[in-house]
mmCIF file of all heavy atoms in Angstrom:
data_model
loop_
_atom_site.group_PDB
_atom_site.id
_atom_site.type_symbol
_atom_site.label_atom_id
_atom_site.label_comp_id
_atom_site.label_asym_id
_atom_site.label_seq_id
_atom_site.Cartn_x
_atom_site.Cartn_y
_atom_site.Cartn_z
ATOM 1 N N MET C 5 4.928 21.146 11.754
ATOM 2 C CA MET C 5 3.879 20.191 11.307
ATOM 3 C C MET C 5 3.517 19.277 12.434
ATOM 4 O O MET C 5 4.353 18.624 13.066
ATOM 5 C CB MET C 5 4.419 19.418 10.087
ATOM 6 C CG MET C 5 3.404 18.438 9.541
ATOM 7 S SD MET C 5 4.072 17.592 8.079
ATOM 8 C CE MET C 5 2.713 16.376 7.837
ATOM 9 N N THR C 6 2.260 19.170 12.690
ATOM 10 C CA THR C 6 1.824 18.276 13.762
ATOM 11 C C THR C 6 1.552 16.871 13.149
ATOM 12 O O THR C 6 1.102 16.746 12.040
ATOM 13 C CB THR C 6 0.506 18.779 14.408
ATOM 14 O OG1 THR C 6 -0.476 18.957 13.436
ATOM 15 C CG2 THR C 6 0.765 20.131 15.067
ATOM 16 N N ARG C 7 1.831 15.897 13.945
ATOM 17 C CA ARG C 7 1.620 14.525 13.466
ATOM 18 C C ARG C 7 0.866 13.773 14.544
ATOM 19 O O ARG C 7 1.053 13.986 15.714
ATOM 20 C CB ARG C 7 2.943 13.828 13.232
ATOM 21 C CG ARG C 7 3.781 14.487 12.173
ATOM 22 C CD ARG C 7 5.065 13.738 11.947
ATOM 23 N NE ARG C 7 4.825 12.392 11.429
ATOM 24 C CZ ARG C 7 5.776 11.518 11.229
ATOM 25 N NH1 ARG C 7 7.020 11.804 11.501
ATOM 26 N NH2 ARG C 7 5.493 10.321 10.768
ATOM 27 N N ARG C 8 -0.021 12.839 14.033
ATOM 28 C CA ARG C 8 -0.705 11.910 14.929
ATOM 29 C C ARG C 8 -1.676 12.584 15.861
ATOM 30 O O ARG C 8 -2.182 11.956 16.779
ATOM 31 C CB ARG C 8 0.310 11.064 15.748
ATOM 32 C CG ARG C 8 1.262 10.283 14.933
ATOM 33 C CD ARG C 8 0.563 9.171 14.113
ATOM 34 N NE ARG C 8 1.501 8.389 13.310
ATOM 35 C CZ ARG C 8 1.125 7.533 12.412
ATOM 36 N NH1 ARG C 8 -0.142 7.379 12.108
ATOM 37 N NH2 ARG C 8 2.004 6.845 11.722
ATOM 38 N N GLU C 9 -1.924 13.899 15.672
ATOM 39 C CA GLU C 9 -2.917 14.518 16.540
ATOM 40 C C GLU C 9 -4.311 14.246 16.044
ATOM 41 O O GLU C 9 -5.254 14.071 16.783
ATOM 42 C CB GLU C 9 -2.674 16.045 16.642
ATOM 43 C CG GLU C 9 -1.457 16.340 17.449
ATOM 44 C CD GLU C 9 -1.371 17.825 17.762
ATOM 45 O OE1 GLU C 9 -2.288 18.564 17.383
ATOM 46 O OE2 GLU C 9 -0.382 18.231 18.401
ATOM 47 N N VAL C 10 -4.435 14.211 14.723
ATOM 48 C CA VAL C 10 -5.708 13.889 14.083
ATOM 49 C C VAL C 10 -5.518 12.642 13.220
ATOM 50 O O VAL C 10 -4.476 12.546 12.514
ATOM 51 C CB VAL C 10 -6.175 15.079 13.217
ATOM 52 C CG1 VAL C 10 -7.490 14.701 12.488
ATOM 53 C CG2 VAL C 10 -6.377 16.297 14.072
ATOM 54 N N ALA C 11 -6.411 11.733 13.277
ATOM 55 C CA ALA C 11 -6.284 10.548 12.455
ATOM 56 C C ALA C 11 -6.205 10.867 10.993
ATOM 57 O O ALA C 11 -7.049 11.672 10.494
ATOM 58 C CB ALA C 11 -7.410 9.579 12.713
ATOM 59 N N CYS C 12 -5.214 10.346 10.322
ATOM 60 C CA CYS C 12 -5.070 10.624 8.883
ATOM 61 C C CYS C 12 -6.237 9.981 8.111
ATOM 62 O O CYS C 12 -6.550 8.783 8.320
ATOM 63 C CB CYS C 12 -3.746 10.071 8.381
ATOM 64 S SG CYS C 12 -3.489 10.439 6.624
ATOM 65 N N GLU C 13 -6.816 10.755 7.232
ATOM 66 C CA GLU C 13 -7.944 10.201 6.438
ATOM 67 C C GLU C 13 -7.511 9.667 5.131
ATOM 68 O O GLU C 13 -8.332 9.268 4.269
ATOM 69 C CB GLU C 13 -9.019 11.280 6.282
ATOM 70 C CG GLU C 13 -9.641 11.700 7.620
ATOM 71 C CD GLU C 13 -10.693 12.760 7.424
ATOM 72 O OE1 GLU C 13 -11.271 12.894 6.316
ATOM 73 O OE2 GLU C 13 -10.986 13.484 8.386
ATOM 74 N N HIS C 14 -6.186 9.716 4.857
ATOM 75 C CA HIS C 14 -5.638 9.205 3.601
ATOM 76 C C HIS C 14 -6.335 9.797 2.396
ATOM 77 O O HIS C 14 -6.718 9.059 1.479
ATOM 78 C CB HIS C 14 -5.725 7.658 3.575
ATOM 79 C CG HIS C 14 -5.145 7.013 4.806
ATOM 80 N ND1 HIS C 14 -3.977 7.437 5.401
ATOM 81 C CD2 HIS C 14 -5.594 5.911 5.505
ATOM 82 C CE1 HIS C 14 -3.719 6.589 6.444
ATOM 83 N NE2 HIS C 14 -4.681 5.695 6.492
ATOM 84 N N LYS C 15 -6.525 11.061 2.390
ATOM 85 C CA LYS C 15 -7.227 11.708 1.300
ATOM 86 C C LYS C 15 -6.368 11.791 0.028
ATOM 87 O O LYS C 15 -6.847 11.818 -1.106
ATOM 88 C CB LYS C 15 -7.722 13.099 1.659
ATOM 89 C CG LYS C 15 -8.873 13.089 2.626
ATOM 90 C CD LYS C 15 -9.301 14.511 2.990
ATOM 91 C CE LYS C 15 -10.514 14.493 3.903
ATOM 92 N NZ LYS C 15 -10.846 15.856 4.341
ATOM 93 N N ASN C 16 -5.097 11.901 0.212
ATOM 94 C CA ASN C 16 -4.155 12.005 -0.904
ATOM 95 C C ASN C 16 -3.312 10.737 -0.984
ATOM 96 O O ASN C 16 -2.693 10.394 0.019
ATOM 97 C CB ASN C 16 -3.253 13.203 -0.737
ATOM 98 C CG ASN C 16 -4.061 14.515 -0.565
ATOM 99 O OD1 ASN C 16 -4.828 14.872 -1.450
ATOM 100 N ND2 ASN C 16 -3.892 15.153 0.584
ATOM 101 N N PHE C 17 -3.351 10.053 -2.078
ATOM 102 C CA PHE C 17 -2.579 8.852 -2.159
ATOM 103 C C PHE C 17 -2.092 8.596 -3.552
ATOM 104 O O PHE C 17 -2.581 9.190 -4.523
ATOM 105 C CB PHE C 17 -3.437 7.674 -1.694
ATOM 106 C CG PHE C 17 -4.715 7.466 -2.431
ATOM 107 C CD1 PHE C 17 -4.709 6.792 -3.695
ATOM 108 C CD2 PHE C 17 -5.873 7.976 -1.938
ATOM 109 C CE1 PHE C 17 -5.887 6.637 -4.382
ATOM 110 C CE2 PHE C 17 -7.058 7.814 -2.665
ATOM 111 C CZ PHE C 17 -7.069 7.155 -3.883
ATOM 112 N N SER C 18 -1.050 7.837 -3.645
ATOM 113 C CA SER C 18 -0.501 7.398 -4.935
ATOM 114 C C SER C 18 -0.694 5.878 -5.052
ATOM 115 O O SER C 18 -0.678 5.191 -4.019
ATOM 116 C CB SER C 18 0.985 7.750 -5.046
ATOM 117 O OG SER C 18 1.193 9.141 -4.806
ATOM 118 N N ILE C 19 -0.808 5.424 -6.310
ATOM 119 C CA ILE C 19 -0.843 3.980 -6.491
ATOM 120 C C ILE C 19 0.478 3.549 -7.068
ATOM 121 O O ILE C 19 0.934 4.074 -8.065
ATOM 122 C CB ILE C 19 -2.006 3.605 -7.446
ATOM 123 C CG1 ILE C 19 -3.336 3.966 -6.847
ATOM 124 C CG2 ILE C 19 -1.957 2.091 -7.796
ATOM 125 C CD1 ILE C 19 -4.553 3.770 -7.779
ATOM 126 N N ILE C 20 1.087 2.612 -6.362
ATOM 127 C CA ILE C 20 2.396 2.153 -6.793
ATOM 128 C C ILE C 20 2.304 0.641 -7.060
ATOM 129 O O ILE C 20 1.377 -0.074 -6.606
ATOM 130 C CB ILE C 20 3.505 2.376 -5.701
ATOM 131 C CG1 ILE C 20 3.148 1.595 -4.448
ATOM 132 C CG2 ILE C 20 3.612 3.855 -5.413
ATOM 133 C CD1 ILE C 20 4.359 1.549 -3.489
ATOM 134 N N GLN C 21 3.249 0.174 -7.908
ATOM 135 C CA GLN C 21 3.341 -1.274 -8.078
ATOM 136 C C GLN C 21 4.457 -1.786 -7.190
ATOM 137 O O GLN C 21 5.575 -1.315 -7.216
ATOM 138 C CB GLN C 21 3.702 -1.604 -9.562
ATOM 139 C CG GLN C 21 2.480 -1.841 -10.447
ATOM 140 C CD GLN C 21 1.888 -0.519 -10.932
ATOM 141 O OE1 GLN C 21 2.619 0.281 -11.461
ATOM 142 N NE2 GLN C 21 0.593 -0.357 -10.836
ATOM 143 N N LYS C 22 4.059 -2.710 -6.371
ATOM 144 C CA LYS C 22 4.979 -3.207 -5.364
ATOM 145 C C LYS C 22 5.221 -4.701 -5.625
ATOM 146 O O LYS C 22 4.321 -5.479 -5.683
ATOM 147 C CB LYS C 22 4.387 -3.035 -3.985
ATOM 148 C CG LYS C 22 5.251 -3.473 -2.826
ATOM 149 C CD LYS C 22 4.566 -3.205 -1.531
ATOM 150 C CE LYS C 22 5.390 -3.718 -0.345
ATOM 151 N NZ LYS C 22 4.653 -3.520 0.942
ATOM 152 N N GLU C 23 6.528 -5.038 -5.802
ATOM 153 C CA GLU C 23 6.863 -6.447 -6.034
ATOM 154 C C GLU C 23 7.021 -7.145 -4.698
ATOM 155 O O GLU C 23 7.677 -6.623 -3.805
ATOM 156 C CB GLU C 23 8.174 -6.559 -6.809
ATOM 157 C CG GLU C 23 8.057 -6.209 -8.249
ATOM 158 C CD GLU C 23 9.296 -6.621 -9.043
ATOM 159 O OE1 GLU C 23 10.225 -7.162 -8.441
ATOM 160 O OE2 GLU C 23 9.306 -6.355 -10.248
ATOM 161 N N GLU C 24 6.385 -8.286 -4.614
ATOM 162 C CA GLU C 24 6.562 -9.100 -3.396
ATOM 163 C C GLU C 24 6.938 -10.512 -3.788
ATOM 164 O O GLU C 24 6.356 -11.069 -4.718
ATOM 165 C CB GLU C 24 5.269 -9.103 -2.594
ATOM 166 C CG GLU C 24 4.853 -7.704 -2.160
ATOM 167 C CD GLU C 24 3.560 -7.712 -1.341
ATOM 168 O OE1 GLU C 24 2.792 -8.630 -1.452
ATOM 169 O OE2 GLU C 24 3.385 -6.715 -0.563
ATOM 170 N N THR C 25 7.937 -11.024 -3.124
ATOM 171 C CA THR C 25 8.421 -12.378 -3.472
ATOM 172 C C THR C 25 8.090 -13.317 -2.313
ATOM 173 O O THR C 25 8.368 -13.038 -1.146
ATOM 174 C CB THR C 25 9.889 -12.330 -3.700
ATOM 175 O OG1 THR C 25 10.160 -11.397 -4.757
ATOM 176 C CG2 THR C 25 10.408 -13.684 -4.073
ATOM 177 N N TYR C 26 7.474 -14.457 -2.707
ATOM 178 C CA TYR C 26 7.174 -15.442 -1.728
ATOM 179 C C TYR C 26 7.770 -16.749 -2.173
ATOM 180 O O TYR C 26 7.784 -17.084 -3.352
ATOM 181 C CB TYR C 26 5.638 -15.644 -1.609
ATOM 182 C CG TYR C 26 4.885 -14.449 -1.252
ATOM 183 C CD1 TYR C 26 4.300 -13.632 -2.217
ATOM 184 C CD2 TYR C 26 4.773 -14.074 0.078
ATOM 185 C CE1 TYR C 26 3.571 -12.492 -1.864
ATOM 186 C CE2 TYR C 26 4.069 -12.966 0.476
ATOM 187 C CZ TYR C 26 3.467 -12.157 -0.508
ATOM 188 O OH TYR C 26 2.762 -11.021 -0.141
ATOM 189 N N PRO C 27 8.261 -17.531 -1.209
ATOM 190 C CA PRO C 27 8.690 -18.898 -1.547
ATOM 191 C C PRO C 27 7.495 -19.813 -1.720
ATOM 192 O O PRO C 27 6.669 -19.925 -0.797
ATOM 193 C CB PRO C 27 9.562 -19.273 -0.354
ATOM 194 C CG PRO C 27 9.082 -18.470 0.785
ATOM 195 C CD PRO C 27 8.485 -17.189 0.211
ATOM 196 N N VAL C 28 7.361 -20.385 -2.900
ATOM 197 C CA VAL C 28 6.263 -21.334 -3.154
ATOM 198 C C VAL C 28 6.867 -22.664 -3.622
ATOM 199 O O VAL C 28 7.560 -22.690 -4.687
ATOM 200 C CB VAL C 28 5.309 -20.774 -4.234
ATOM 201 C CG1 VAL C 28 4.178 -21.821 -4.538
ATOM 202 C CG2 VAL C 28 4.696 -19.459 -3.774
ATOM 203 N N LEU C 29 6.663 -23.683 -2.906
ATOM 204 C CA LEU C 29 7.174 -25.018 -3.249
ATOM 205 C C LEU C 29 8.651 -24.965 -3.562
ATOM 206 O O LEU C 29 9.112 -25.539 -4.517
ATOM 207 C CB LEU C 29 6.366 -25.599 -4.428
ATOM 208 C CG LEU C 29 4.887 -25.759 -4.194
ATOM 209 C CD1 LEU C 29 4.199 -26.267 -5.415
ATOM 210 C CD2 LEU C 29 4.615 -26.703 -3.012
ATOM 211 N N GLY C 30 9.386 -24.206 -2.778
ATOM 212 C CA GLY C 30 10.853 -24.180 -2.939
ATOM 213 C C GLY C 30 11.357 -23.215 -3.995
ATOM 214 O O GLY C 30 12.555 -23.115 -4.159
ATOM 215 N N GLU C 31 10.417 -22.520 -4.683
ATOM 216 C CA GLU C 31 10.811 -21.561 -5.668
ATOM 217 C C GLU C 31 10.327 -20.158 -5.234
ATOM 218 O O GLU C 31 9.221 -20.029 -4.815
ATOM 219 C CB GLU C 31 10.266 -21.912 -7.031
ATOM 220 C CG GLU C 31 10.820 -23.149 -7.659
ATOM 221 C CD GLU C 31 10.263 -23.363 -9.053
ATOM 222 O OE1 GLU C 31 9.836 -22.361 -9.683
ATOM 223 O OE2 GLU C 31 10.278 -24.460 -9.520
ATOM 224 N N ASP C 32 11.199 -19.193 -5.479
ATOM 225 C CA ASP C 32 10.746 -17.802 -5.216
ATOM 226 C C ASP C 32 9.790 -17.373 -6.312
ATOM 227 O O ASP C 32 10.117 -17.461 -7.516
ATOM 228 C CB ASP C 32 11.964 -16.869 -5.197
ATOM 229 C CG ASP C 32 12.746 -17.039 -3.849
ATOM 230 O OD1 ASP C 32 12.205 -17.660 -2.927
ATOM 231 O OD2 ASP C 32 13.861 -16.548 -3.780
ATOM 232 N N THR C 33 8.606 -16.921 -5.959
ATOM 233 C CA THR C 33 7.631 -16.450 -6.913
ATOM 234 C C THR C 33 7.356 -15.018 -6.603
ATOM 235 O O THR C 33 7.020 -14.632 -5.502
ATOM 236 C CB THR C 33 6.336 -17.263 -6.759
ATOM 237 O OG1 THR C 33 6.632 -18.647 -7.008
ATOM 238 C CG2 THR C 33 5.287 -16.809 -7.753
ATOM 239 N N THR C 34 7.519 -14.183 -7.651
ATOM 240 C CA THR C 34 7.327 -12.726 -7.505
ATOM 241 C C THR C 34 6.006 -12.314 -8.121
ATOM 242 O O THR C 34 5.713 -12.659 -9.243
ATOM 243 C CB THR C 34 8.461 -11.977 -8.192
ATOM 244 O OG1 THR C 34 9.693 -12.367 -7.582
ATOM 245 C CG2 THR C 34 8.300 -10.469 -7.981
ATOM 246 N N ILE C 35 5.222 -11.607 -7.321
ATOM 247 C CA ILE C 35 3.991 -11.004 -7.851
ATOM 248 C C ILE C 35 4.117 -9.495 -7.754
ATOM 249 O O ILE C 35 4.895 -8.985 -7.001
ATOM 250 C CB ILE C 35 2.780 -11.467 -7.057
ATOM 251 C CG1 ILE C 35 2.834 -11.000 -5.588
ATOM 252 C CG2 ILE C 35 2.539 -12.961 -7.147
ATOM 253 C CD1 ILE C 35 1.490 -10.895 -4.922
ATOM 254 N N VAL C 36 3.351 -8.802 -8.588
ATOM 255 C CA VAL C 36 3.304 -7.392 -8.529
ATOM 256 C C VAL C 36 1.928 -6.991 -8.100
ATOM 257 O O VAL C 36 0.899 -7.321 -8.729
ATOM 258 C CB VAL C 36 3.606 -6.769 -9.899
ATOM 259 C CG1 VAL C 36 3.556 -5.219 -9.805
ATOM 260 C CG2 VAL C 36 4.986 -7.190 -10.360
ATOM 261 N N ALA C 37 1.879 -6.253 -7.007
ATOM 262 C CA ALA C 37 0.566 -5.843 -6.441
ATOM 263 C C ALA C 37 0.410 -4.378 -6.560
ATOM 264 O O ALA C 37 1.401 -3.634 -6.413
ATOM 265 C CB ALA C 37 0.478 -6.247 -4.950
ATOM 266 N N ASN C 38 -0.789 -3.892 -6.883
ATOM 267 C CA ASN C 38 -1.065 -2.472 -6.887
ATOM 268 C C ASN C 38 -1.374 -2.081 -5.455
ATOM 269 O O ASN C 38 -2.268 -2.638 -4.800
ATOM 270 C CB ASN C 38 -2.289 -2.125 -7.747
ATOM 271 C CG ASN C 38 -2.004 -2.275 -9.217
ATOM 272 O OD1 ASN C 38 -0.898 -1.976 -9.628
ATOM 273 N ND2 ASN C 38 -2.943 -2.713 -9.983
ATOM 274 N N VAL C 39 -0.656 -1.092 -4.943
ATOM 275 C CA VAL C 39 -0.787 -0.716 -3.535
ATOM 276 C C VAL C 39 -1.004 0.818 -3.477
ATOM 277 O O VAL C 39 -0.240 1.518 -4.124
ATOM 278 C CB VAL C 39 0.460 -1.107 -2.711
ATOM 279 C CG1 VAL C 39 0.311 -0.664 -1.272
ATOM 280 C CG2 VAL C 39 0.693 -2.558 -2.793
ATOM 281 N N LYS C 40 -1.964 1.219 -2.724
ATOM 282 C CA LYS C 40 -2.119 2.674 -2.473
ATOM 283 C C LYS C 40 -1.238 3.069 -1.327
ATOM 284 O O LYS C 40 -1.220 2.380 -0.276
ATOM 285 C CB LYS C 40 -3.572 2.967 -2.091
ATOM 286 C CG LYS C 40 -4.599 2.922 -3.204
ATOM 287 C CD LYS C 40 -5.923 3.354 -2.611
ATOM 288 C CE LYS C 40 -7.052 3.221 -3.637
ATOM 289 N NZ LYS C 40 -8.340 3.596 -2.986
ATOM 290 N N VAL C 41 -0.536 4.140 -1.455
ATOM 291 C CA VAL C 41 0.278 4.680 -0.398
ATOM 292 C C VAL C 41 -0.105 6.105 -0.108
ATOM 293 O O VAL C 41 -0.196 6.917 -1.023
ATOM 294 C CB VAL C 41 1.766 4.607 -0.708
ATOM 295 C CG1 VAL C 41 2.617 5.182 0.394
ATOM 296 C CG2 VAL C 41 2.194 3.156 -1.009
ATOM 297 N N CYS C 42 -0.412 6.389 1.141
ATOM 298 C CA CYS C 42 -0.870 7.713 1.464
ATOM 299 C C CYS C 42 0.250 8.714 1.334
ATOM 300 O O CYS C 42 1.382 8.500 1.803
ATOM 301 C CB CYS C 42 -1.362 7.690 2.963
ATOM 302 S SG CYS C 42 -1.977 9.311 3.508
ATOM 303 N N ASP C 43 -0.002 9.814 0.642
ATOM 304 C CA ASP C 43 0.998 10.868 0.462
ATOM 305 C C ASP C 43 1.274 11.619 1.742
ATOM 306 O O ASP C 43 2.336 12.197 1.931
ATOM 307 C CB ASP C 43 0.532 11.856 -0.615
ATOM 308 C CG ASP C 43 0.637 11.278 -1.984
ATOM 309 O OD1 ASP C 43 1.334 10.276 -2.189
ATOM 310 O OD2 ASP C 43 -0.091 11.791 -2.831
ATOM 311 N N ASP C 44 0.340 11.597 2.672
ATOM 312 C CA ASP C 44 0.426 12.389 3.879
ATOM 313 C C ASP C 44 1.207 11.681 4.955
ATOM 314 O O ASP C 44 2.073 12.220 5.593
ATOM 315 C CB ASP C 44 -0.916 12.780 4.395
ATOM 316 C CG ASP C 44 -1.683 13.706 3.425
ATOM 317 O OD1 ASP C 44 -0.979 14.512 2.764
ATOM 318 O OD2 ASP C 44 -2.864 13.594 3.315
ATOM 319 N N CYS C 45 0.881 10.391 5.174
ATOM 320 C CA CYS C 45 1.501 9.669 6.312
ATOM 321 C C CYS C 45 2.316 8.511 5.838
ATOM 322 O O CYS C 45 3.062 7.927 6.622
ATOM 323 C CB CYS C 45 0.417 9.218 7.293
ATOM 324 S SG CYS C 45 -0.609 7.879 6.658
ATOM 325 N N GLY C 46 2.280 8.142 4.538
ATOM 326 C CA GLY C 46 3.107 7.075 4.025
ATOM 327 C C GLY C 46 2.604 5.670 4.273
ATOM 328 O O GLY C 46 3.250 4.708 3.938
ATOM 329 N N GLU C 47 1.417 5.605 4.902
ATOM 330 C CA GLU C 47 0.861 4.330 5.232
ATOM 331 C C GLU C 47 0.301 3.579 3.983
ATOM 332 O O GLU C 47 -0.262 4.294 3.098
ATOM 333 C CB GLU C 47 -0.256 4.518 6.267
ATOM 334 C CG GLU C 47 -0.522 3.331 7.143
ATOM 335 C CD GLU C 47 -1.502 3.745 8.295
ATOM 336 O OE1 GLU C 47 -1.087 4.527 9.131
ATOM 337 O OE2 GLU C 47 -2.632 3.288 8.226
ATOM 338 N N GLU C 48 0.415 2.307 3.948
ATOM 339 C CA GLU C 48 -0.181 1.581 2.865
ATOM 340 C C GLU C 48 -1.680 1.398 3.140
ATOM 341 O O GLU C 48 -2.127 1.150 4.241
ATOM 342 C CB GLU C 48 0.451 0.164 2.732
ATOM 343 C CG GLU C 48 1.839 0.235 2.221
ATOM 344 C CD GLU C 48 2.459 -1.117 1.991
ATOM 345 O OE1 GLU C 48 1.731 -2.164 2.132
ATOM 346 O OE2 GLU C 48 3.646 -1.228 1.690
ATOM 347 N N ILE C 49 -2.483 1.629 2.063
ATOM 348 C CA ILE C 49 -3.924 1.519 2.176
ATOM 349 C C ILE C 49 -4.356 0.304 1.384
ATOM 350 O O ILE C 49 -4.252 0.279 0.178
ATOM 351 C CB ILE C 49 -4.619 2.799 1.631
ATOM 352 C CG1 ILE C 49 -4.018 4.038 2.309
ATOM 353 C CG2 ILE C 49 -6.108 2.717 1.839
ATOM 354 C CD1 ILE C 49 -4.301 5.325 1.503
ATOM 355 N N PHE C 50 -4.869 -0.684 2.062
ATOM 356 C CA PHE C 50 -5.300 -1.852 1.331
ATOM 357 C C PHE C 50 -6.688 -1.692 0.756
ATOM 358 O O PHE C 50 -7.602 -1.364 1.466
ATOM 359 C CB PHE C 50 -5.222 -3.112 2.289
ATOM 360 C CG PHE C 50 -3.840 -3.394 2.703
ATOM 361 C CD1 PHE C 50 -3.344 -2.980 3.935
ATOM 362 C CD2 PHE C 50 -2.965 -4.040 1.845
ATOM 363 C CE1 PHE C 50 -2.064 -3.212 4.298
ATOM 364 C CE2 PHE C 50 -1.664 -4.311 2.212
ATOM 365 C CZ PHE C 50 -1.181 -3.888 3.457
ATOM 366 N N ASP C 51 -6.803 -1.914 -0.515
ATOM 367 C CA ASP C 51 -8.052 -1.783 -1.229
ATOM 368 C C ASP C 51 -8.133 -2.903 -2.268
ATOM 369 O O ASP C 51 -7.536 -2.756 -3.339
ATOM 370 C CB ASP C 51 -8.128 -0.382 -1.854
ATOM 371 C CG ASP C 51 -9.512 -0.177 -2.517
ATOM 372 O OD1 ASP C 51 -10.298 -1.163 -2.678
ATOM 373 O OD2 ASP C 51 -9.814 0.973 -2.853
ATOM 374 N N PHE C 52 -8.833 -3.920 -1.980
ATOM 375 C CA PHE C 52 -8.806 -5.059 -2.862
ATOM 376 C C PHE C 52 -9.717 -4.887 -4.071
ATOM 377 O O PHE C 52 -9.819 -5.800 -4.917
ATOM 378 C CB PHE C 52 -9.175 -6.317 -2.070
ATOM 379 C CG PHE C 52 -8.140 -6.666 -1.026
ATOM 380 C CD1 PHE C 52 -8.381 -6.341 0.285
ATOM 381 C CD2 PHE C 52 -6.932 -7.231 -1.388
ATOM 382 C CE1 PHE C 52 -7.408 -6.641 1.292
ATOM 383 C CE2 PHE C 52 -5.956 -7.483 -0.444
ATOM 384 C CZ PHE C 52 -6.205 -7.207 0.881
ATOM 385 N N ARG C 53 -10.354 -3.734 -4.157
ATOM 386 C CA ARG C 53 -11.150 -3.490 -5.339
ATOM 387 C C ARG C 53 -10.340 -2.963 -6.488
ATOM 388 O O ARG C 53 -10.826 -2.852 -7.584
ATOM 389 C CB ARG C 53 -12.275 -2.506 -4.990
ATOM 390 C CG ARG C 53 -13.351 -3.095 -4.119
ATOM 391 C CD ARG C 53 -14.355 -2.052 -3.666
ATOM 392 N NE ARG C 53 -13.646 -1.054 -2.848
ATOM 393 C CZ ARG C 53 -14.225 -0.008 -2.307
ATOM 394 N NH1 ARG C 53 -15.534 0.185 -2.527
ATOM 395 N NH2 ARG C 53 -13.605 0.851 -1.568
ATOM 396 N N LEU C 54 -9.099 -2.646 -6.187
ATOM 397 C CA LEU C 54 -8.221 -2.209 -7.306
ATOM 398 C C LEU C 54 -8.007 -3.316 -8.303
ATOM 399 O O LEU C 54 -7.716 -4.436 -7.947
ATOM 400 C CB LEU C 54 -6.861 -1.793 -6.749
ATOM 401 C CG LEU C 54 -6.742 -0.385 -6.174
ATOM 402 C CD1 LEU C 54 -5.303 -0.247 -5.672
ATOM 403 C CD2 LEU C 54 -7.028 0.642 -7.183
ATOM 404 N N ASP C 55 -8.111 -2.951 -9.584
ATOM 405 C CA ASP C 55 -7.827 -3.942 -10.623
ATOM 406 C C ASP C 55 -6.379 -3.758 -11.060
ATOM 407 O O ASP C 55 -5.895 -2.702 -11.180
ATOM 408 C CB ASP C 55 -8.752 -3.767 -11.804
ATOM 409 C CG ASP C 55 -10.105 -4.434 -11.491
ATOM 410 O OD1 ASP C 55 -10.084 -5.413 -10.789
ATOM 411 O OD2 ASP C 55 -11.110 -3.944 -11.997
HETATM 412 ZN ZN1 ZN O 136 -2.555 8.846 5.620
#
């Protein structure tokens, strides 16, 4: 399998729920974000149109 020879077009992806925790005013606040992850290269694809 060749890698990185052709730029991945992220044609195949899964949508996962990813928990991210940020410290806000001294308290840890956890949000759940919908994130697309490419099935081919594993890269996160940011798409803020996702609801
Ligand atoms: Zn990709």
Side-chain angles (χ1 to χ4, degrees):
M5 181 178 173
T6 57
R7 297 181 65 184
R8 301 296 181 189
E9 289 191 2
V10 178
C12 181
E13 295 180 23
H14 307 320
K15 286 180 179 175
N16 304 300
F17 57 83
S18 304
I19 297 174
I20 65 168
Q21 268 84 50
K22 181 178 176 183
E23 285 191 2
E24 297 182 339
T25 302
Y26 300 98
V28 178
L29 301 177
E31 291 185 22
D32 284 346
T33 300
T34 300
I35 62 155
V36 179
N38 289 326
V39 179
K40 287 184 185 177
V41 178
C42 181
D43 288 338
D44 296 326
C45 70
E47 205 171 291
E48 290 184 6
I49 306 162
F50 295 99
D51 184 347
F52 295 102
R53 287 173 298 180
L54 278 180
D55 280 329

